[in-house]
Amino acid sequence: MTPNTHHTANTPGWVDVDGPHIVTSRFGFDDSFTLARFEATGGYAGLRAALDRTPADVHTEVREASLLGRGGAGFPAGVKWGFCPPAVWPRYLVVNGDESEPGTYKDRLLMQRDPHQLIEGSLIACYALGLSQCFLYVRGEMALAQERIATALNEAYAAGYVGKNILGTDFSVDIILHWGAGAYIVGEETALIESLEGNRGMPRLKPPFFPAAIGLYGKPTIVNNVETLANLPWILLNGATEYKKFGSDTSPGTRLFAVSGHVARPGVYEIEHGVTTFRELIYGERFCQGIRDGHELKMFIPGGASAPWFFPEQLDLPLEAKPVGAAGSMLGSGAIVVMDDTTDAVRACLRVVRFFARESCGKCTPCREGTTWEETVLRRILDGKGRSADIDMLLDIGDNISPGPYPVAANEAEGQTAVPFPPRQTTICPLGPSSVAPITSAIRRFRSEFEAKIVLPETIPVAAAVHPATSELAAAAHGEGGHR
Amino acid sequence: MSRFNADNLIVAESIIRRYPVAKSALIPLLHLAQEQDGYVADDAMAHIAELVGVTPAEVVGTCTFYEMFKRHPVGTYVVNICTNISCLVLGGEELLHHAEKSLGVRAGGTTDDGLFTLEDVECIAACTEAPCLQVNYRYRYRLTTDDFDELIDGLRTGRITDVPHHGVLARIRQQIADDRLAGVVAPELATEAPVWLAASDAGGAGS
Amino acid sequence: MTDAPTKPDAIDVTLNGVTFEAEPGELLIDACERNGVYIPRFCYHPRMTPVGMCRMCLVEVDTGRGAALQPSCMLTCTPGMTVQTESELTKKAQDGVLEFLLINHPLDCPVCDKGGECPLQDQTMSYGPGESRFVEQKRHFEKPIPVNENVYLDRERCILCDRCTRFASEVAGDPLIHFQDRGSNTQVNTFPDEPFASYFSGNTVQICPVGALTAKPYRFKARPWDLEEVISTYPNPMGDRISVQSSRDKVLRIQGVDSDATNWGWLTDRDRFSFEAIHHPERLTVPLVHGDDLGNADAAGDNLVAASWAVALQQAGAVITAALDKGGPDAVGVLGGARLSNEAQYAWAKLAKSVIGTDNVDAQLDDGLPAAMVASYPRRTLNDALAPGSAVVLMSEDPKEQFGTLYLRLRHALQKRDITLVELNPTASGLGRLTTVGLHPRPGETGVVARALVDAVAGALPTADVGGVSAAAISAAATAVHGRPVTVVCGRASLAESASPTIDAAAALRELPGAAFLFALRRGNSHGAIDMGLAPGLLPGRVGLGATPEGWAAAPTVTGLDARGMLEAAVDGDLSVLVLVGSDPLADFPDADLASRALTTCDTVIAVDLFANLSVASADIVFPAAGFAETAGTHTNFEGRVSPLTRKVTAPGVARPDWVIASDLAFELGADLGFDSVESVFDEIVTVAPSHAGLSFADVAADNDGALVRGPTALDFGAPEPTAVVPLDGYSLRLVTDHRLYDNATLVQHCPSMANLADVAQLSLHPLDADRLGAGAGSLVTVISAAGSIELPVRPDPAVPRGSGVIPLNRSGADPRELIDHRAVVTDIRVASS
């Protein structure tokens, strides 16, 4: 019997495929989110296994599993844990459930479908590092995830898994469910901490504000992504050696990838990390089953909206951080957006840039002013009010946000080699520089599409052309709501 | 325009107690205010400022950073249509355009009957189910324009009952019994290693 | 020449190919500036925490991991760091930031107050591109909105540098302006209908790097290039360093100057905007004497009429001569002088003590502390008092209300340095949560609480409450100060009690190991007055009576009367001439009744002042004085720091500097003080006053931090026996009166921008006491003491301890001085519903 009496049907999106089920093992059950189902399927066994060992041992096990962070940066969790300065207390755990990167859809599934698994993973981290309080920061817009986690926490507190003297030991920790309120930038870990302190979610400069040293309330703080922590119960139960049997040497285990856009079978797939290629994932019968009928792949974003675009030439790269980075993009948050030949590159570019302009926190000048300027110019081009100088100006605005050669995929036809990831930045966090990704990607590859939209002669005064009324009409003609 | 009512004041105080520093409760309390009134009233912000010991200017500074908080009344149902990249390529903007026509308001506007506010939003993490939307943060997936009209009709006629009024987010709150609480300590007072760590190998990972 | 061995911890930084050594912990932006390379910046301010958000100060830095752009305002110098401020990458980044800042910045420089002194404009001139490639519409906001009575905010001009908002929250502790909204819609604003009510708001105007914040008193008054400026000192107890800016002989603006020793560039709004009074039409411009209805001088006339200096001086000389003939030197008293420069104080001290021969001289109005105590107690500079590892005992009026820049320095130290602060005052100060321990004794019992604290530090913890303070609080305070050098900020926290409890407390606290004092006397140049001998029993240089100073004809040998003594003597008919030098006893002396009777009884009152205040209006002979910015000299702050007061504008009418008036009066009395310039007075001070030996006028003016006079002399201040206080009965409250920043003071009331900021008088008491009395917020009550009664509204305030009632001084509505009897140690009041 579940206390969730008023929920809609279980969350769609996950596609069950053959292979290891490290974090999705319960996704097939309708009642996967209940404590009863969790306990019946090995739940909290990982925690018990951890409590039988010393905290230092648990940390070692995680370090040996080479569990890479699943939030986007891909930094090994066990190493990150080791950055806490010794003998500085208290330490906090902040669980980053603010999943907002366009194209990314996997933490929400983990929170909705298996909240206890996340709680268990969080507890293991707290035990290993002596974290005295855990804050589970769930994106504001995810009402169902919040309800499921609240229910799960209430169950877990009552059953003695969370709170005082967990499972009768002297391990005590509170897990506090915290809701966000709509701000993509809060997914950045220093902004997440600001937000959790009740402030505007504006990133802090690292250094000095490395969260592991100076984090929540100025104290050492571990910020881990939901999916990262969801791996911990399995690792503690089965050991690092077993874990490393999946995936590649440098990227062990499995990873959730959300593939969206113009594929025949979009979905969230748990696949072995680092061994599958984009081609297999997008075209494989087990997975997305290719581009929708009658169309060809034009481009795809391999790691969320912040990632520079890939094209058919990059299909055979493995889903692994290093080769993807060397090829000029990033694996990011496990979000692959596939676009076929019907896609207007300028429109797609504008839409992604608009996202960053809207989500800029406003702290750093280049991002605050630059992203909005980029959006305005792109909209003008799309509205047929572009000037031929605009294309190079867009690239130069981008250069002032992210100086130097911007990461881009190789274009053999044009004789261009790849510029590896990451971009340089004039800003504190990567949000502003990320807005340059779609611009550079689209203009480098599809410059002619931009030029085709620029039909007006140079001399027409452009300021008059962006009279709001005109702009709005044009936006409406494109089915655009406009950025208001 | 209101401060917390008696029931919500109790909830607010229990939320504040969970944080080592009261200001951390600011966002949850703003949600509570929005749940109470459907939007975040100025008086509510002043009340929150008193409760967490900051100035109202600091509260409004935080409030206005986050787009879920509405400082003015909105419709009973806030309909957020995603037009970000995954939805864009599968008709998100066309869906929005249809919604604008069918509701008779531009994105950002509220229908004259006060029932619907329409918004053009960023990615809501349902990319594989595009185009998608949320009504008061409840998802609807893979919508056609007909699906949209049916949804609006269902809400308008009261046939759809599982969507609470705007402001109500999670209908289940975290509850911690006093005897189960590990304890919340101000950061400047919790200067010792936790017992389980101190009891084990203090020179290990935790030290 | 020997090769100095490289220090093992040397921080060598290579800047554009040249290596220099950075200070430990030094920020790159500061280190570069110190070495001649100015890195452009907008958000960075050396007195606030860096935020690194404008990105203007990006430079190419290599710390061994390859060159990268880094904000130099957030980067601490490390050994081996290589910095390129002129490289192509650096220049491109800085140009890019400048362009981004300009795209939404209005080009209204010709009508902008900041035009001509605007860093953004300067940067654009120096490095910006010739033309804009931004052809879109700029961001629009409603044009300037008032954020409080005196400060306007133009959000279109704002570049979101976070300086004003950081100042408000971090420096002033008044986070009433804040960033709102997000991204390119971000704006600075207040909460609706809740203004930026900060005593320090004008500082945000000064530090705004563009013209987004402007101050009403200066808006549209002048262009920066028309302004002439001089560096001077604001004559307040902290001796805040300032720049006085004028055009066409009018002071139009005062700005803070960053002195590391004192105000760090900050000012209170009261001081910043007080220049409005300088050119007020009600300034005294001519001498006044008794006259008839036609305006002719007539000793029997009831009116004050304009007179020449010759006539007024002759009358004053005659009156003093007559008094000397009749009652001897003791029949003359000189009251006031804290407004004056050191030089004017010296001249008046020499006039009184050497020429007239009286020791009845007091620059304080029974609102301070005995001069001999101030002169003899050990002192410490503010920077030493706030050094990490120190402790401060605050035993004065609320520094937020009366010693604004001291308050800001205390706030900074409490937040950023390891210092502790114990309050020993009747009510909690504006430092609020920053205070380590607040001890709030019952009025009159500060001495016994201080004694208990000293005993507790020595290990004898109290076992019971003392003076209304719990034993636990005293023990906590002892822990807070234990093992730290203690500086006592010592002044009169309340004028409803006599000075005795404070004197007792200071004597006790002096016993703490390493104790030193900063005397927070509220009158501007009180410390100069004490140093110059404008106090009974003292000669210039903090020397006791006895010898005759070099060049003086004579000097008193018997200690004269202080302010209270003079007023009592006047009432008793023993003092026939009272000279008021910039003092207004009718408005300021704590016992209003005594002051009123004294001025009425006294044969002749001679006043030297700027405005016709209450006391001046009842005087017989009035001399118009040149005031602040109209006369040169030096000022002494509460550390004993001497800094220059610079003349910038002409005094109105025929007003003369105070030292000239003293010389003129001496001349009437047949003596020559021997001064022909301010410098000549200073030179004589240096000769006469041992505390000032070795100083020169030029040296004082040359150093931004001024020069410290020598420490305490061997002067003996015998602390009196501890004062006994009668117990508070169960029906009474004990009165506390204090000063607030904005009140009915003459200066404030002659500044249009501040005249309306003073609230009316209210009785603040603890909500439980208010309940007990059945007096709700705003209800009118009658307050009765043995001396009188007044009627005023009630304000419940949990910060007021049980059993106390607080009424501010010098507010409209009711005057608490009517409740005070100067002979009583404390003032007990009963409260009744009106």
Side-chain angles (χ1 to χ4, degrees), chain C residues 364-432:
Chain C
Q364 303 186 65
L365 291 187
D366 203 17
D367 53 0
L369 291 163
M373 179 174 137
V374 175
S376 63
Y377 269 39
R379 57 166 90 157
R380 183 174 282 144
T381 65
L382 184 57
N383 276 347
D384 287 347
L386 303 181
S390 306
V392 173
V393 173
L394 182 66
M395 190 168 70
S396 71
E397 286 192 271
D398 187 348
K400 186 174 186 177
E401 300 288 345
Q402 286 302 304
F403 311 104
T405 51
L406 169 64
Y407 169 74
L408 299 185
R409 292 290 311 271
L410 285 170
R411 271 188 56 82
H412 174 270
L414 287 165
Q415 290 177 100
K416 300 286 175 72
R417 296 178 180 174
D418 166 34
I419 78 157
T420 57
L421 183 131
V422 171
E423 289 190 22
L424 191 57
N425 44 15
T427 57
S429 81
L431 287 165

Side-chain angles (χ1 to χ4, degrees), chain A residues 182-183 200 205 358-361 363-366 368-370 372-373 380 396 399-400 403 426-428 463, chain C residues 52-55 58 69 74 92 96 99-101 104 133-136 139 159-160 179-184:
Chain A
R200 301 161 60 82
L205 191 74
R358 266 199 182 189
E359 298 296 342
S360 169
C361 80
K363 188 169 185 175
C364 301
T365 306
R368 179 183 71 238
E369 306 294 342
T372 313
W373 191 5
R380 203 155 45 70
D396 193 55
D399 193 56
N400 286 338
T426 57
T427 50
I428 290 173
Chain C
M53 66 191 288
C54 79
R55 316 307 285 177
L58 287 172
L69 287 168
M74 290 199 75
K92 175 87 162 64
E99 181 181 36
F100 286 136
L101 286 171
N104 275 306
R133 50 182 182 166
F134 182 81
V135 295
E136 331 296 336
R139 186 164 50 232
I159 58 167
L160 302 170
F179 281 143
Q180 293 181 16
D181 302 317
R182 192 172 76 195
S184 65

